[in-house]
Amino acid sequence: MLTSVVSVQTGQAIGKGLFSAAGGPWGVVAIRLAFASLLLMAWWRPRLPRERTDIVLVLAFGTAIAGMNLGYLAMKYMPLGVAMTVQLMGPLVVSLCAARRLIHLLWGLLAVTGLVLFTSPGAAGAPPGVGLLFALGSAVSMGAYLLLSKRAGARMSGGRPLALAVAWAAALTLPFGILDSGSRMLDARVLWVGLVVAVLSAAVPYSLELAALRHLTARAVGVLQSLEPVAAGIAGLLLLGEHLEGHHWLGIVCISVASAGTVATKDERPPAAQATTRNRERVGVTREQGFSADASESEAAEGPDQRPSGSQG
């Protein structure tokens, strides 16, 4: 799980470092989603849905995935660690809305404190408003992604709806990538690095999380994934030379602790309910940085012994 967390944020940092060569963040997003789509489609080989409800669900799911990539636009205006931490607010809010205990209110207040530390007008290094809007848009999309992934996992098995949704997300972002980057998207170096980004932020973490879920509880996985904002801050520092201010690190810690606390203190469910929903406890800590949440949730519902082995590509 720790390797998965590091892999995701390393891929994010490499993707941000590709902005200049690709001509902008939209080019990186389009390349990343295109490669991720190819990997997922080759692995799952999904059939097109026939029922209208399933078609609408896949389109909405894919639109949410495309919206989650607004985090890349946010990275243009703020450090990687800040953008990824604000993005985590989306699933955290979804998780808190389902909470029923007083302790969860305290976790929510801690998360709000972390967000205020990032956005306080008087704080040195406060992110620009446009970057914050992109990050919040990504957070909202991530929250929608989590809700839609549950419905998709309930109606369609395995990672097939995820593969179709990522393909739709790639189709949505491709025109913006062409407008933003033009022919630079076809540069050999950009394509190779884009493939590395897709592998690090999708294929590798997915396979590692699938292996981890065979040995760890979903709750343990969720707590470990709460370290992603910290990993993003470190990846930004080591790979991009982004030095965060003290209040940024404090905000990262606040939101990470709030996310981990929300997952760790989530209400227990009866054993029968846990058998079908145990991996859905991860709502506070999934990402689109990877596309693993839906596949893991739906496969967890089938039981650890029914999950296919291997990575998505």
Side-chain angles (χ1 to χ4, degrees):
M1 273 310 305
L2 293 175
T3 304
S4 172
V5 167
V6 172
S7 177
V8 167
Q9 299 309 328
T10 299
Q12 298 282 78
I14 294 174
K16 181 173 181 177
L18 193 61
F19 284 179
S20 178
W26 274 117
V28 174
V29 168
I31 293 171
R32 175 178 180 267
L33 286 177
F35 278 125
S37 172
L38 292 174
L39 292 171
L40 287 168
M41 294 292 282
W43 176 254
W44 290 107
R45 298 187 296 276
R47 295 180 180 178
L48 293 176
R50 297 182 178 180
E51 296 186 20
R52 180 179 178 181
T53 301
D54 292 339
I55 294 173
V56 173
L57 181 58
V58 167
L59 294 178
F61 193 17
T63 301
I65 290 175
M68 290 163 65
N69 281 270
L70 291 173
Y72 274 85
L73 275 72
M75 290 183 216
K76 182 178 179 180
Y77 300 95
M78 62 178 67
L80 171 65
V82 175
M84 293 301 98
T85 306
V86 175
Q87 186 187 60
L88 185 65
M89 291 293 295
L92 179 56
V93 169
V94 172
S95 185
L96 289 171
C97 286
R100 295 293 183 271
R101 298 170 59 184
L102 180 60
I103 186 67
H104 294 122
L105 175 60
L106 300 178
W107 296 132
L109 292 174
L110 183 61
V112 171
T113 300
L115 187 61
V116 169
L117 287 170
F118 284 132
T119 60
S120 176
V130 62
L132 184 61
L133 286 176
F134 281 133
L136 291 175
S138 177
V140 171
S141 297
M142 184 176 285
Y145 162 84
L146 291 169
L147 298 175
L148 291 167
S149 69
K150 291 183 180 181
R151 292 195 176 189
R155 291 188 62 88
M156 294 171 273
S157 62
R160 293 169 182 81
L162 181 66
L164 293 170
V166 173
W168 173 244
L172 286 177
T173 56
L174 184 60
F176 295 98
I178 294 174
L179 289 174
D180 195 28
S181 302
S183 61
R184 292 188 184 184
M185 289 178 57
L186 301 178
D187 181 82
R189 175 180 174 274
V190 172
L191 290 175
W192 276 112
V193 177
L195 176 59
V196 170
V197 172
V199 170
L200 286 176
S201 62
V204 169
Y206 174 77
S207 59
L208 291 175
E209 288 171 9
L210 203 59
L213 282 167
R214 295 190 177 101
H215 305 282
L216 299 176
T217 65
R219 179 168 298 184
V221 169
V223 172
L224 289 171
Q225 282 191 323
S226 299
L227 295 173
E228 285 193 3
V230 178
I234 295 174
L237 175 63
L238 297 179
L239 299 180
L240 301 171
E242 296 177 341
H243 294 270
L244 299 181
E245 301 287 342
H247 66 90
H248 287 151
W249 282 111
L250 185 56
I252 287 175
V253 170
C254 286
I255 294 177
S256 295
V257 170
S259 180
T262 300
V263 175
T265 59
K266 194 147 188 177
D267 296 335
E268 292 290 346
R269 294 176 180 173
Q274 291 179 2
T276 58
T277 61
R278 65 192 189 96
N279 198 38
R280 293 177 186 177
E281 292 179 39
R282 296 173 57 191
V283 301
V285 288
T286 43
R287 58 172 121 59
E288 194 310 330
Q289 292 99 283
F291 305 123
S292 60
D294 173 66
S296 297
E297 287 174 0
S298 58
E299 290 159 1
E302 300 170 4
D305 296 330
Q306 278 100 10
R307 296 193 202 100
S309 61
S311 71
Q312 59 193 3

